[in-house]
Structure formats: C-alpha cells, structure tokens
Amino acid sequence: MNTVSGGRDNQSGAPERLVNMSQDELERAVRETFSRQVATPRAPHDPAGAVLRRAHRIQRRRTVAGMSLAASAIVLVSVSAMHLRDDHPPPGGTVVIADPYPAPDTYRTVLPSPGPRTETPLAEVDLLVNRTIATAQGRRVTLIGIGAVERAHRLTDGRGWLAVGEPSLAGRSLWAVAADGTARVLLAGADEIVLDRDGRQVAWKQDRVLAAARIVDGELAGTVRADAPTTAVPLRFVDGAVLVRLDPDLPGHVLWPLRPGPLDEGTDRTSQRIFGALPDGRLVGEVSAETPEDACLTLLDPVALRPPEPPACGPTIEGAGLGAVSPDGRWLLVNGRVGEQDRALLVDLTRLDSTRLDPTVPVRPAGPAMTGAVSWNLPDVAHYADATGALVRVDAERVRAGRSAVRVTVPGLRDDEPLVVVTGG
C-alpha cells in the first residue's frame, strides 16, 4: 500500500487522506465503507432525508399540475375562439353572454359561501329577504357575488335559482345561483329578461335584437336571434314560444316561435294585456271593447291572437296592471279596480270558458294590489308582495267563499329592501 501523507506530523487533527491510490484499492475502500454503513444500526428518524423526499414529491406534483393547467388553458382559448367566430350578435346587440375572460378591472374577490343553514320556514314559498333566500323547507342561503335582484326563479331540479337583476343604466343581468348561494353571470346589459316556467329557457331584448337560448348546466346554449322593433318587449314563454308586446303604449302582441330573421309582427292590434295560457293553448287576455280604456277578458287563439268569432267579451276589469294564470289554468289573479281602490282580483276561468265569455262571470276582490311576481306554488294558492312590501297569501277557495287574502308576517324584513317572492320550483 502506498505511503500515508501527513502521518503524525500533521498537527491539524484532520483525517488522513489517501493519495496515489489505484482503481482497485479505491473500489475496495468504497465497498468497505458501505459494509460498515450497513452494519451500523440506522437512526429511527432521518429529518433531513424526509424533507428532501417531501420536496421531491411536491416538485413532481407541481410539474404535473402545471402541465394540466397549460393544456386546459389551450382548450379553453380554442373553444372561446371558435365561439366568437361562429356566434357574432347582429349590429346593435351589446348583451354580454357569460364572458369567461373579463377585463382585469372587472375581477373581484368573491368570498366562499358559509353554506346553507336550517331555520324555521318563513312561508310556503321561497323568499328573497335581505340578500338571503329563505326556502320553503327552512334553509337560509346567502347570495354571494350578485347585484340587486328584482325577480328570482327556483329551478325544478333543485340545483339552485335563476335571478334577474333590477333595471339600471347598464341594463339587466341574469345570474345562475348554485345551491350554496354562489353565483355566476349568464347575461349582462339586456333591456328585459324573461324565463320559462321550468327555468330551462331565457329570452331577452336589447335595442333591436330579440334573443332566446336554452339553459343547460348553468350555461346558455343554442342562442337564436331575431330583428325586432325597438319598442318590442318580451313578456313570457307560452308553449315554447315567446310572447312579445310590440309597443308598451299600444295594443297588439305576437308569438315569436324562436325563429331567426326579422320578427313577424302579425295582425293583432286589439289585445291590451295577456296573462297566460290555458292547458289547451288558448291565451287569457284583454281586448278593447268600445274604447281602449274599456277592455274585457277573453280567450285568444294562440296562433293569430284573435278573439272568438263572433266577438265575445267576458267581465270588464277596470285599470291596468299585473296578472298571472295558475299552472292548471283554473284561476286568474289580476290587478284591477274596485271603486276607487286598486285591488288584486280573482276570476274562475272555468266559469269564463263554460259560459262562453259571459260578462256576468263574477270577479272577486282577493287582496291588496300586487307588485312584482306572483307565485302559484299550489294549484289554488298564490303568494305575492303588495305595495307595502308585505307578503300576501291568496287561497282561491277562501276568496270564492267571500273571505279576503291573508298577510303573512316575514321576520327580519327591512323597510329599505323589498321582498322578492321566488317563482318556480
């Protein structure tokens, strides 16, 4: 073996170093070192090794996640580019449809919802009170990331709600609200927005653009657009079509069958208001009798929107305002006048039909005048908010027996925030 440099004359106390060692001697020294390490009992815990191993695992996960995110971003950008190429709105349309890439100054932090909590139900229907939905089952769901709401609709599958915003200088918005209260915008900038009874379709109007789309898993699909007069306003869905009033200041309606191109304005110039449809498709509305101020209830053909031939009138309802037909077509709850007072009135539509539009069909006072939406949560029970913001419950059989509707006390309702009665469900 070669000499050892430094021997006992090395006063530094450092370990002796081997020099001029052959390849075979080096290999034997390495094997002896490993043999001694194997023979030495291992420490029960190696902190440094554990940290290194954990760091390697984290690095591998970040690398895989980064590659996945990059691939997802490429797919999203490609899909968005295809959508923009294939779905340009007509000139004049400025409605934004669920923009997934807003400008940087539109981002805002949305705190996670604390989740629904269960308390005593406030009513037989869902209510929006102080930015919280109180369900008929007693849940309280705080809305997250949403503006001021004028109307709300419960989805039939129980997966949440659709909320229509109040009108503003920027137009109306439509939000899809999940069951935990978190929301995302589906539409923004519309003049008017209407939903079908099941919350599966939406129609909107902006300037001269009339549009409709399906709502599938919180997204809009199959958008159809038509050119319409600037005065036209969508009112409601009727058997898959959209009922449109041609001018809010003039009589006349048309059913838009969700067909692209110019809107066919039809020939109806006599219908004053249309409140809904019967199961057979006929529309319940008002037509001008002798003067525009003197309108009577009638049943309109759903195609041409014409009253029966020869012309026939049911009872006359003075005044103008809201109205809603029950889902089974039995009842009409409508705003009218009793003497000098605005009231909600109840009409039995079976009597109206069976008596061939007899003007003597009784129109019974039901309660204070309605504001906002009417929810027929049962075939013969409706809820609405009155002008004071109170909740009113109308039991049709009770009203027919001569008793008035009942005001329902809603705990926690503030005077500065209106009550919104949720429809659908």
Side-chain angles (χ1 to χ4, degrees), residues 16-316:
E16 295 176 340
R17 293 177 291 112
L18 300 178
V19 295
N20 300 326
M21 179 177 289
S22 68
Q23 179 68 29
D24 292 339
E25 292 172 331
L26 179 61
E27 291 178 358
R28 283 197 300 272
V30 170
R31 283 196 292 270
E32 291 175 2
T33 301
F34 284 160
S35 298
R36 287 194 296 269
Q37 288 180 350
V38 170
T40 303
R42 294 186 60 184
H45 180 61
D46 182 8
V51 169
L52 290 175
R53 288 191 296 273
R54 188 160 53 248
H56 289 315
R57 287 196 300 268
I58 292 173
Q59 183 62 36
R60 285 195 299 271
R61 285 198 296 267
R62 287 179 175 174
T63 300
V64 174
M67 295 174 64
S68 300
L69 287 175
S72 300
I74 293 171
V75 173
L76 287 174
V77 171
S78 302
V79 172
S80 299
M82 294 172 60
H83 176 75
L84 291 174
R85 288 196 301 269
D86 299 337
D87 196 19
H88 290 291
T94 58
V95 174
V96 177
I97 302 179
D99 183 6
Y101 304 106
D105 59 354
T106 64
Y107 284 104
R108 62 177 176 174
T109 301
V110 178
L111 298 178
S113 170
R117 61 187 188 277
T118 302
E119 298 181 13
T120 303
L122 299 182
E124 300 168 69
V125 293
D126 292 1
L127 303 175
L128 178 56
V129 182
N130 300 336
R131 305 186 67 79
T132 296
I133 292 181
T135 72
Q137 293 75 35
R139 290 192 305 149
R140 302 290 191 273
V141 182
T142 301
L143 302 188
I144 305 295
I146 198 169
V149 175
E150 183 181 78
R151 304 189 302 271
H153 188 89
R154 184 173 186 172
L155 299 179
T156 54
D157 58 9
R159 297 174 62 182
W161 300 264
L162 296 170
V164 178
E166 294 181 348
S168 68
L169 294 177
R172 292 183 185 270
S173 296
L174 173 67
W175 293 276
V177 182
D180 64 354
T182 56
R184 62 182 303 270
V185 66
L186 298 183
L187 287 172
D191 295 334
E192 185 55 89
I193 297 174
V194 295
L195 302 166
D196 74 348
R197 191 184 299 274
D198 296 326
R200 296 176 180 172
Q201 289 181 294
V202 57
W204 66 93
K205 175 79 185 319
Q206 203 281 329
D207 194 24
R208 296 183 62 87
V209 177
L210 179 64
R214 301 189 310 276
I215 302 176
V216 182
D217 294 330
E219 302 285 348
L220 299 187
T223 302
V224 180
R225 295 181 175 89
D227 298 323
T230 56
T231 55
V233 180
L235 299 181
R236 60 175 56 86
F237 277 85
V238 177
D239 195 23
V242 177
L243 178 68
V244 179
R245 179 148 191 169
L246 299 174
D247 190 321
D249 299 324
L250 297 173
H253 296 78
V254 66
L255 281 171
W256 176 46
L258 309 188
R259 185 181 301 126
L263 176 67
D264 183 355
E265 299 182 23
T267 60
D268 170 39
R269 300 296 182 269
T270 61
S271 61
Q272 297 280 355
R273 292 186 291 173
I274 295 179
F275 307 114
L278 299 179
D280 62 9
R282 287 178 298 167
L283 303 176
V284 180
E286 284 181 332
V287 294
S288 302
E290 297 180 359
T291 65
E293 293 77 19
D294 185 20
C296 65
L297 283 179
T298 190
L299 300 177
L300 302 170
D301 177 84
V303 178
L305 296 182
R306 288 196 300 264
E309 297 289 348
C313 264
T316 298

